[in-house]
Amino acid sequence: MSSTLAPASALATARGVYTICPTPFTADGALDLGSIATLVEFQIEAGVSGLAILGFLGEAHKLSNAERRAVTSTFVKCAAGRVPVWVGVRALGLAGAIEQATEAAEAGAAAVFAAPLDMASDAVQFDYYKSLAAALSIPVVIHDFPDSFGTEIKAEVIARLGREGGVNFIKMEEPPVGQKISRIRDLAGESMRIFGGLGGVYFLEELQRGAVGTMTGFAYPEILVRIYNQFAAGDLAGAAATFDKYCPLIRYEFQPKIGLSLRKYVYRKRGVISSDAIRSPGMRIDPETERELEAVIARVGLDLDQRGALAIR
C-alpha cells in the first residue's frame, strides 16, 4: 500500500514530539494489535506530531518479520494519516536495511529511522546511509545512539550526509548532546534537522541548541508536547518551568534496563494498553519499584489513574 501521508518533500518541516511507542503484548506475550489502536488514539489526543515505532522501546529485535509487518501496518492504519508514522530499521548490511525500509514504506510509513552498521568506518557509514536513502521513496533518519548500538557516527559524517547524501534528519542521542548538536549545526547548517531523544532528559537544552523536536518514549507525552509548544511560542520561561517541574519523573522513567517496564506499567495503569508484558530478554520491575514510581508520579502532581491526555497547567 502506498503512503496516505504527505510526500517526502513536505516532511522537511517535521518538528515537535514524535513518541517512540512500545509494542503492546498480551499477558502471554502475543502481539496485542487492539492495544495499538488505543495507544495511537492516546498519543494523538496528547498532541504529538508523529509516532515512531519498532525502535528499542518497540522491542523490534524480539519480533518476527511477520510481526514487524503486522505492527507497522496496524499503526499506520490506526493513525489514518492524522500523524506520520516513522519505522525503525536495523540490519547487518544494506540489503537487509533496504528490505525492512521498503516494507515499511509499502505499509504506509512516512519515514524510517535507521541504526548504523556495526563497527563500520566513516566512509562505509556514509555510503550505507546514502545508498539507503537513494533506494527509498521516503526519508531516512539517522539513529545516532552509541550507548546502545556501540557505534559512533561523527558529526562530520552526519553533516556530509545532510549536504551530499540525501539524508536530512537525525535522531541524535550521543551525550554530551549540547556540544554535538552545535557541532552538527555548525557543519551542516539547515541541511540536517536534529531531533533529540534520551527519554527527554535533555529536551530543554536540545531545543535551546537548535533541535527541532524530540523522538523519545515517555508515558506522559503531553508533558513533552507542552514543553515544545511553550518553547516554540517563545515562552522560554514557561518551557523551563514545565521541564523543571516534571524532570524528576522524566529522569526516573529513563532508567537503563528497566525503562521499558516502567513505561509499559504507566501506560497500563493509565488505561492505554491492556498489559505491561514485555518479551524476554528484558528486566521487569518489582512491587517496590512500582511503589517508587508511583511516588514520583504523585510528587510531581500527576494522577496515574488519569485516562487519556492530562490537562497540563
Side-chain angles (χ1 to χ4, degrees), residues 200-269:
V201 173
Y202 307 106
F203 189 26
L204 184 64
E205 291 79 14
E206 290 164 349
L207 292 173
Q208 291 171 328
R209 292 275 187 153
V212 299
T214 188
M215 290 175 62
T216 196
F218 183 50
Y220 285 90
E222 59 269 43
I223 292 171
L224 300 181
V225 170
R226 175 71 167 173
I227 294 167
Y228 175 80
N229 287 342
Q230 289 174 313
F231 186 89
D235 182 7
L236 307 187
T242 302
F243 179 79
D244 291 345
K245 178 178 180 180
Y246 297 108
C247 201
L249 177 58
I250 295 171
R251 173 198 64 86
Y252 188 87
E253 199 189 89
F254 187 62
Q255 288 191 63
K257 299 183 181 180
I258 63 169
L260 173 60
S261 289
L262 293 171
R263 287 166 181 161
K264 280 195 165 183
Y265 178 82
V266 174
Y267 276 129
R268 179 180 64 80
K269 294 288 283 188

Side-chain angles (χ1 to χ4, degrees), residues 65 68 87-92 95-105 112:
N65 290 338
R68 281 183 59 93
V87 179
V89 167
R90 188 181 186 191
L92 296 177
I98 290 175
E99 181 179 61
Q100 291 180 24
T102 299
E103 287 182 350
V112 294

